[in-house]
Amino acid sequence: QSLTTLGAFLCGLKLFKIAISKSYGMTEFREDIKNLLLEAGCCGKGVVLFMTDSQIVDESMLEDTNNILNTGEIPNLMQPEDNEKIAAAVAPVVRAQGKMETRTVILQEFTNRCREHLKIILAVSPVGDKFRQRLRMF
């Protein structure tokens, strides 16, 4: 964990660690992820999401993380008001690149920026059956 913190600092990236509480669930996780994606995709800021296996309260958290790694997005995560915010922030970038400012091009550029600026670090203990099960699933 300390090496991740040091590495993020040296690279000038914002480090985000999940703060688990009794009420932390998928809704809060998805809200945290949405905020990180908006920061990485709209603002173009480098962000590191650091998770340990003890912070995984629901296996669908790993599924969402897997979706981000594979496609750069989580299906049905963004609401219409978020899409408007994305369009307003990313349209000037698309315009500067000389591309057409269609909704599809803007969302594709947002996804590309998320993939470029969001780093995910998952620290998992190799001890126990959960590690083996998660490897088989993902």
Side-chain angles (χ1 to χ4, degrees), residues 53-54 56-59 62 124-138:
D53 56 349
S54 62
I56 299 170
V57 294
D58 190 348
E59 292 299 318
L62 284 177
V124 182
S125 172
V127 178
D129 290 334
K130 281 191 173 186
F131 179 66
R132 191 176 315 116
Q133 291 170 351
R134 289 176 177 158
L135 279 177
R136 287 182 184 144
M137 289 184 348
F138 300 105

Side-chain angles (χ1 to χ4, degrees), residues 4-71:
T4 299
T5 305
L6 177 64
F9 174 76
L10 290 175
C11 293
L13 303 174
K14 175 186 171 187
L15 179 66
F16 179 80
K17 294 181 182 179
I18 295 173
I20 297 295
S21 64
K22 288 183 180 180
S23 63
Y24 194 85
M26 277 307 295
T27 305
E28 292 80 13
F29 176 73
R30 285 185 154 230
E31 190 64 34
D32 287 340
I33 294 295
K34 180 168 66 170
N35 291 334
L36 290 174
L37 289 173
L38 288 172
E39 187 170 350
C42 291
C43 303
K45 295 181 180 176
V47 181
V48 176
L49 169 62
F50 181 74
M51 293 173 43
T52 63
D53 56 349
S54 62
Q55 294 171 323
I56 299 170
V57 294
D58 190 348
E59 292 299 318
S60 56
M61 293 170 85
L62 284 177
E63 186 176 330
D64 286 348
T65 306
N66 188 42
N67 282 332
I68 293 172
L69 292 172
N70 287 329
T71 64

Side-chain angles (χ1 to χ4, degrees), residues 99-130:
K99 297 178 183 175
M100 292 182 59
E101 291 184 51
T102 64
R103 185 169 188 78
T104 306
V105 171
I106 289 172
L107 292 178
Q108 183 62 43
E109 181 63 26
F110 173 78
T111 302
N112 290 341
R113 288 169 60 104
C114 288
R115 293 180 88 173
E116 180 180 344
H117 296 291
L118 178 65
K119 314 300 182 209
I120 299 176
I121 298 176
L122 182 60
V124 182
S125 172
V127 178
D129 290 334
K130 281 191 173 186

